[in-house]
mmCIF file of all heavy atoms in Angstrom:
data_model
loop_
_atom_site.group_PDB
_atom_site.id
_atom_site.type_symbol
_atom_site.label_atom_id
_atom_site.label_comp_id
_atom_site.label_asym_id
_atom_site.label_seq_id
_atom_site.Cartn_x
_atom_site.Cartn_y
_atom_site.Cartn_z
ATOM 1 N N GLN A 48 -2.326 -5.134 6.786
ATOM 2 C CA GLN A 48 -1.274 -6.000 6.188
ATOM 3 C C GLN A 48 -1.032 -7.220 7.119
ATOM 4 O O GLN A 48 -0.599 -7.046 8.262
ATOM 5 C CB GLN A 48 -0.051 -5.252 5.913
ATOM 6 C CG GLN A 48 1.045 -6.124 5.176
ATOM 7 C CD GLN A 48 2.273 -5.314 4.698
ATOM 8 O OE1 GLN A 48 2.637 -4.368 5.393
ATOM 9 N NE2 GLN A 48 2.892 -5.753 3.585
ATOM 10 N N PHE A 56 -7.576 -3.270 1.680
ATOM 11 C CA PHE A 56 -8.133 -1.945 1.870
ATOM 12 C C PHE A 56 -9.261 -2.079 2.907
ATOM 13 O O PHE A 56 -10.152 -2.922 2.831
ATOM 14 C CB PHE A 56 -8.726 -1.510 0.534
ATOM 15 C CG PHE A 56 -9.497 -0.172 0.573
ATOM 16 C CD1 PHE A 56 -8.854 0.994 0.556
ATOM 17 C CD2 PHE A 56 -10.879 -0.253 0.586
ATOM 18 C CE1 PHE A 56 -9.621 2.174 0.592
ATOM 19 C CE2 PHE A 56 -11.586 0.929 0.571
ATOM 20 C CZ PHE A 56 -11.019 2.083 0.558
ATOM 21 N N ASN A 67 -15.305 5.226 0.619
ATOM 22 C CA ASN A 67 -15.119 3.911 0.167
ATOM 23 C C ASN A 67 -14.875 3.008 1.266
ATOM 24 O O ASN A 67 -14.282 3.387 2.273
ATOM 25 C CB ASN A 67 -14.055 3.859 -0.910
ATOM 26 C CG ASN A 67 -14.154 2.775 -1.890
ATOM 27 O OD1 ASN A 67 -14.955 1.819 -1.741
ATOM 28 N ND2 ASN A 67 -13.410 2.802 -2.930
ATOM 29 N N GLN A 109 -9.278 8.081 -3.927
ATOM 30 C CA GLN A 109 -9.978 7.234 -4.912
ATOM 31 C C GLN A 109 -9.040 6.495 -5.882
ATOM 32 O O GLN A 109 -9.277 6.590 -7.111
ATOM 33 C CB GLN A 109 -10.965 8.129 -5.700
ATOM 34 C CG GLN A 109 -12.159 8.557 -4.799
ATOM 35 C CD GLN A 109 -13.421 8.932 -5.645
ATOM 36 O OE1 GLN A 109 -13.348 9.788 -6.471
ATOM 37 N NE2 GLN A 109 -14.481 8.198 -5.373
ATOM 38 N N GLY A 110 -8.005 5.921 -5.306
ATOM 39 C CA GLY A 110 -7.136 5.113 -6.159
ATOM 40 C C GLY A 110 -6.095 5.973 -6.878
ATOM 41 O O GLY A 110 -5.504 5.492 -7.864
ATOM 42 N N ILE A 112 -2.532 8.744 -6.557
ATOM 43 C CA ILE A 112 -1.211 8.581 -5.860
ATOM 44 C C ILE A 112 -1.437 8.681 -4.302
ATOM 45 O O ILE A 112 -2.209 9.459 -3.847
ATOM 46 C CB ILE A 112 -0.303 9.736 -6.394
ATOM 47 C CG1 ILE A 112 1.079 9.506 -5.839
ATOM 48 C CG2 ILE A 112 -0.930 11.147 -6.032
ATOM 49 C CD1 ILE A 112 2.086 10.501 -6.531
ATOM 50 N N ALA A 113 -0.683 7.835 -3.666
ATOM 51 C CA ALA A 113 -0.845 7.700 -2.181
ATOM 52 C C ALA A 113 0.557 7.417 -1.564
ATOM 53 O O ALA A 113 1.305 6.753 -2.138
ATOM 54 C CB ALA A 113 -1.808 6.624 -1.847
ATOM 55 N N GLY A 116 2.353 5.752 5.682
ATOM 56 C CA GLY A 116 3.085 5.923 6.977
ATOM 57 C C GLY A 116 3.819 4.670 7.318
ATOM 58 O O GLY A 116 3.756 3.685 6.558
ATOM 59 N N TYR B 52 -4.291 3.954 -13.140
ATOM 60 C CA TYR B 52 -3.119 4.434 -12.402
ATOM 61 C C TYR B 52 -2.402 3.239 -11.869
ATOM 62 O O TYR B 52 -2.992 2.312 -11.325
ATOM 63 C CB TYR B 52 -3.541 5.345 -11.260
ATOM 64 C CG TYR B 52 -2.427 5.778 -10.330
ATOM 65 C CD1 TYR B 52 -1.411 6.606 -10.849
ATOM 66 C CD2 TYR B 52 -2.400 5.316 -9.024
ATOM 67 C CE1 TYR B 52 -0.371 6.973 -9.989
ATOM 68 C CE2 TYR B 52 -1.352 5.697 -8.207
ATOM 69 C CZ TYR B 52 -0.363 6.497 -8.690
ATOM 70 O OH TYR B 52 0.705 6.896 -7.837
ATOM 71 N N TYR B 56 5.358 -0.042 -5.322
ATOM 72 C CA TYR B 56 5.883 0.355 -3.957
ATOM 73 C C TYR B 56 7.010 -0.614 -3.531
ATOM 74 O O TYR B 56 6.956 -1.792 -3.953
ATOM 75 C CB TYR B 56 4.705 0.212 -2.985
ATOM 76 C CG TYR B 56 3.696 1.321 -3.070
ATOM 77 C CD1 TYR B 56 2.626 1.271 -3.907
ATOM 78 C CD2 TYR B 56 3.829 2.471 -2.261
ATOM 79 C CE1 TYR B 56 1.666 2.222 -3.952
ATOM 80 C CE2 TYR B 56 2.839 3.481 -2.313
ATOM 81 C CZ TYR B 56 1.785 3.344 -3.223
ATOM 82 O OH TYR B 56 0.871 4.332 -3.315
ATOM 83 N N GLN B 58 8.830 -2.052 -0.046
ATOM 84 C CA GLN B 58 8.651 -2.074 1.465
ATOM 85 C C GLN B 58 9.859 -2.744 2.073
ATOM 86 O O GLN B 58 10.134 -3.944 1.788
ATOM 87 C CB GLN B 58 7.329 -2.808 1.815
ATOM 88 C CG GLN B 58 7.069 -2.742 3.324
ATOM 89 C CD GLN B 58 5.717 -3.310 3.718
ATOM 90 O OE1 GLN B 58 5.148 -4.139 3.039
ATOM 91 N NE2 GLN B 58 5.188 -2.818 4.784
ATOM 92 N N GLY B 63 6.741 1.159 6.219
ATOM 93 C CA GLY B 63 5.576 1.176 5.380
ATOM 94 C C GLY B 63 5.963 1.215 3.882
ATOM 95 O O GLY B 63 7.081 1.451 3.627
ATOM 96 N N ASN B 113 -5.071 0.809 -9.574
ATOM 97 C CA ASN B 113 -6.337 1.294 -8.882
ATOM 98 C C ASN B 113 -7.487 0.584 -9.576
ATOM 99 O O ASN B 113 -7.620 0.315 -10.779
ATOM 100 C CB ASN B 113 -6.480 2.791 -8.963
ATOM 101 C CG ASN B 113 -6.673 3.313 -10.401
ATOM 102 O OD1 ASN B 113 -6.383 2.619 -11.372
ATOM 103 N ND2 ASN B 113 -7.065 4.536 -10.511
ATOM 104 N N GLY B 115 -11.946 0.285 -8.702
ATOM 105 C CA GLY B 115 -13.007 0.629 -7.831
ATOM 106 C C GLY B 115 -12.721 1.672 -6.876
ATOM 107 O O GLY B 115 -13.244 1.667 -5.741
ATOM 108 N N GLY B 116 -11.900 2.675 -7.223
ATOM 109 C CA GLY B 116 -11.679 3.821 -6.411
ATOM 110 C C GLY B 116 -10.690 3.562 -5.271
ATOM 111 O O GLY B 116 -10.644 4.280 -4.331
ATOM 112 N N LYS B 117 -9.917 2.504 -5.360
ATOM 113 C CA LYS B 117 -8.908 2.169 -4.312
ATOM 114 C C LYS B 117 -7.719 1.484 -4.974
ATOM 115 O O LYS B 117 -7.811 0.988 -6.143
ATOM 116 C CB LYS B 117 -9.499 1.377 -3.247
ATOM 117 C CG LYS B 117 -10.148 0.070 -3.727
ATOM 118 C CD LYS B 117 -10.918 -0.585 -2.639
ATOM 119 C CE LYS B 117 -11.722 -1.847 -3.087
ATOM 120 N NZ LYS B 117 -12.850 -1.513 -3.929
ATOM 121 N N LEU B 118 -6.587 1.435 -4.269
ATOM 122 C CA LEU B 118 -5.464 0.731 -4.764
ATOM 123 C C LEU B 118 -5.598 -0.818 -4.287
ATOM 124 O O LEU B 118 -5.881 -1.087 -3.241
ATOM 125 C CB LEU B 118 -4.124 1.264 -4.183
ATOM 126 C CG LEU B 118 -3.854 2.743 -4.510
ATOM 127 C CD1 LEU B 118 -2.592 3.190 -3.903
ATOM 128 C CD2 LEU B 118 -3.758 2.860 -6.069
#
Side-chain angles (χ1 to χ4, degrees):
Chain A
Q48 185 174 28
F56 174 80
N67 205 345
Q109 288 204 302
I112 189 168
Chain B
Y52 176 65
Y56 287 87
Q58 187 173 27
N113 65 346
K117 55 189 177 287
L118 299 178

